[in-house]
Structures are given as structure tokens and as C-alpha cells.
Amino acid sequence: PRLSPDQRSIVYMSYLGDRPSIYVYDIGTGRQRLLVADTNLNFAPRVSPDSRWVLFSMAVAGNTDIYRVPLSGGTPQRLTDAPGIDTGGSYSPDGGRIVFESDRSGKQQLYVMNADGTQQQRISFGGGSYATPVWSPRGDLIAYTHVQGNFRIGVMSPVGAGERNLTDDWQDEGPSWSPNGRVLMFFRSTQGGSGVADLWSVDL
């Protein structure tokens, strides 16, 4: 689930009717409505900073791309059109750009594009793979999961400079920013078959 910046709605994926689709929950009325009426799997919604758009991923014929649709409803607009999997989109604070992950180069890497899908550029070039990118509320950094042996929480600038890892454990994943852009929350899983995961935080 993701809360819209205007705090009026929650967007989420539901398996209602055994069909994974994105829904919107209206906090004021307590009602939910189907946002993406498509038979294809659609997931990972995020709301734009102005609460007008919902960014999401949709798998069509084995190819996953990033789309956007008005929060009020309407026809989804396809933003990426590359072979492979494009997912994990996150808006910049001004809503002008989007960071996402794609395996179009053979491994999961981070890319940045304009909010309308133009000027797609790769920004991560280190070893291993990169996933779950999230733009800082201050706009200065992008946090992500860096998979190279261990799973680490890392940050880099929106142009790919200054890459550094903030954690180094067996499995640290899924960063989420504090509102002041100083602290990252993530989950850490224990090694072995128990699958125990806890919430952790780390300062920049």
C-alpha cells in the first residue's frame, strides 16, 4: 500500500476476485474502487507528488513495463517499451522524473526517465544488480537494494555519482525514506530457512 501525498487515498494491489489488480481506497468515504481494469497482472503502484498520477507495472505477454494512469481513473499510458522487465518506478520530489529498474542490459540496473517516459538513461554501472529504487524527498539521492553477494542498502545521486553502501548484511532490502531525507528504513532477513525479517533503519 502507498499513501497519496495529499493523504486522501491509498493505492495498493488486491487479489479480489482472484485477479491481481490495482485499487484505490478513499480514506474519506471508506470505499475502494478498481483503478486498472485490465486482465493482465498489474502491481507496484506509486502516486505522483501532485497526487494526479499513479505509476505502476503491468505484465503483458511476458513483458513487464511501467505505465501511468490518472488517480481519478482512465486509460493507462505506457512509459517504457524495452524487452525484459521494467518495474519499481519512483517519482522525483518535483514529479518531473522517474527512477526505475530494468534488466534490458542483461542484469537489473537503475534507469532514470522523464515523467512522460522520454530520455531513458542508465545510471548504475557497478557490479551485481540493483533493485527497488526510491527517490529521496530532498531530491539529492536515490536509495536502492544492491545485490552483490550480500543484499545491501545503497545510495547514489540521480546521475549515478557518489555510489555507496550504507549496510552490509546477508539480506537487506526495500529501502524507504523518512520525510526529512536523512534516514532509511529497510527490512533485514535472517539467513537460513526460518525466513525471519525485521525492520531496521540507518542514517545517511
Side-chain angles (χ1 to χ4, degrees):
R2 301 284 178 183
L3 184 67
S4 63
D6 64 10
Q7 300 186 36
R8 296 179 179 177
S9 306
I10 298 172
V11 295
Y12 54 95
M13 187 187 77
S14 172
Y15 285 88
L16 185 67
D18 294 326
R19 194 179 79 180
S21 298
I22 294 172
Y23 285 78
V24 177
Y25 178 84
D26 185 276
I27 295 174
T29 64
R31 296 173 181 164
Q32 69 174 3
R33 58 182 169 86
L34 179 66
L35 181 64
V36 182
D38 196 292
T39 57
N40 294 292
L41 170 66
N42 48 88
F43 58 98
R46 282 184 184 270
V47 186
S48 63
D50 60 6
S51 297
R52 290 183 56 211
W53 297 94
V54 176
L55 203 64
F56 68 98
S57 300
M58 185 159 62
V60 180
N63 189 58
T64 301
D65 282 297
I66 295 175
Y67 294 73
R68 69 177 181 178
V69 64
L71 181 60
S72 58
T75 302
Q77 175 188 354
R78 188 174 180 176
L79 300 182
T80 64
D81 189 12
I85 299 173
D86 297 338
T87 188
S90 173
Y91 279 99
S92 61
D94 63 5
R97 290 181 292 168
I98 295 167
V99 62
F100 65 99
E101 64 183 89
S102 174
D103 65 357
R104 64 184 66 179
S105 66
K107 269 188 179 178
Q108 285 173 291
Q109 299 290 337
L110 303 185
Y111 292 76
V112 169
M113 62 181 171
N114 291 333
D116 62 359
T118 59
Q119 296 185 6
Q120 298 180 20
Q121 297 178 327
R122 179 174 166 180
I123 63 169
S124 65
F125 294 92
S129 59
Y130 298 76
T132 66
V134 188
W135 216 302
S136 163
R138 300 192 298 191
D140 58 338
L141 293 171
I142 291 169
Y144 51 84
T145 303
H146 186 198
V147 183
Q148 189 176 24
N150 288 344
F151 286 52
R152 304 172 177 92
I153 302 300
V155 292
M156 66 173 66
S157 78
V159 295
E163 177 180 352
R164 62 192 177 101
N165 291 322
L166 302 180
T167 73
D168 186 7
D169 204 75
W170 181 72
Q171 193 167 357
D172 295 345
E173 292 187 78
S176 180
W177 289 96
S178 63
N180 65 3
R182 288 290 309 172
V183 177
L184 283 158
M185 193 77 108
F186 62 96
F187 71 89
R188 173 172 289 176
S189 300
T190 57
Q191 195 166 1
S194 63
V196 175
D198 291 309
L199 291 177
W200 289 68
S201 67
V202 61
D203 190 276
L204 286 178

